[in-house]
Structures are given as C-alpha cells and as structure tokens.
Amino acid sequence: MGYIGALEAAGAVVLADSHFGSYQGDWLALVDYKGQRGFVHGSYGSCSGCDSFEAEFSYSDNGCGEHHYDPQADCEECKAETDSYNTRLAEFGRKYLEYGDGEVDLADYDTTLANLSRNIEWDYEAPQMVAWVEGLKDTYNA
C-alpha cells in the first residue's frame, strides 16, 4: 500500500507522485484534499528501521494469523483485521495532510520549490525533485 495509498485512504486525490533515491528516500505527491491542491513531501528512510510506514504496517497484507499474507473474504477475523488496517492507514495518511487540529497542511508550488532547492548543493536528487515539481506547474494551477 505505502505512503501514496495512505494519502488516498485519508481521502486525498493523488494527481501525481514520485519517489527519489536521495539519502533518506524522498517521495512527493501533488494532491487535492478537502478542496485544496498542494504538495506533500516525505521520506521513507534509508533502511527498514527508518521507514515510518514499514514500522507501522510492514509491507504485507493484514489478514488474520492464519491468512496473514492472503486475507480471505469469508473469514470474519480477516475482515476485522482489514477494517482495522484501513482505519489506521487513513489516520497515518492524515498525518501528512493535516495539522493536529484537522486544518489542511499542504505546501503550495513556490514553497515546495524553495524547500527542495535548499539542499541542491549537496543532495544529488534535489535537481530531479525540483524538475519534477516544475513539470507539474500547469497541473498545480489547473
């Protein structure tokens, strides 16, 4: 499922997303959320111990103990685990979309470019991230 799936589970419409192999493994998404359009930026860590999504969910399906990797639609325990997983996933995604009080927290186009450009001297992926955002200017403004 991953970070983009968590944004979608929280109610965001992901218009574009990309992952970059920078030091901490950056990801970016352009989203529509609660009537606002903006960018979300996160990192997935340089190892599995640093990846907050993997620490919270792992990257496997969440069926019951017997069907952990292959949840069964007719298993009540699998249904309960899936419901719990989906609720937690949406809550996790909201952490990237909102402040703690529920106010939408998306970065605008100019702020996103400025933030990504700050590390351009040493982050070899920063120019690619800046170019990716620049390529979405028309979509952002649509």
Side-chain angles (χ1 to χ4, degrees):
M1 184 57 65
Y3 292 94
I4 302 308
L7 298 177
E8 292 170 333
V13 175
V14 177
L15 304 172
D17 68 272
S18 190
H19 293 77
F20 301 90
S22 55
Y23 175 69
Q24 286 296 309
D26 288 277
W27 60 267
L28 287 162
L30 175 60
V31 302
D32 281 338
Y33 183 67
K34 292 187 175 181
Q36 296 183 36
R37 181 168 289 180
F39 289 91
V40 182
H41 179 203
S43 64
Y44 50 88
S46 58
C47 65
S48 61
C50 303
D51 186 327
S52 60
F53 183 87
E54 188 173 339
E56 179 75 23
F57 298 100
S58 82
Y59 280 97
S60 63
D61 292 327
N62 283 319
C64 70
E66 183 181 347
H67 307 117
H68 184 71
Y69 294 104
D70 186 24
Q72 302 295 307
D74 60 347
C75 174
E76 290 302 318
E77 288 182 55
C78 285
K79 289 178 192 175
E81 286 295 323
T82 298
D83 289 345
S84 172
Y85 178 88
N86 289 336
T87 298
R88 291 185 2 243
L89 187 66
E91 290 171 1
F92 183 85
R94 274 190 290 281
K95 292 176 187 176
Y96 289 94
L97 298 164
E98 300 178 356
Y99 294 108
D101 61 3
E103 184 181 340
V104 175
D105 179 25
L106 302 176
D108 65 29
Y109 179 83
D110 292 330
T111 301
T112 301
L113 282 179
N115 288 340
L116 294 173
S117 296
R118 262 188 283 184
N119 300 330
I120 214 157
E121 294 294 321
W122 62 268
D123 186 344
Y124 68 93
E125 289 285 330
Q128 288 84 359
M129 290 188 285
V130 166
W132 184 81
V133 170
E134 288 174 337
L136 291 170
K137 185 173 188 175
D138 290 341
T139 305
Y140 175 80
N141 290 320

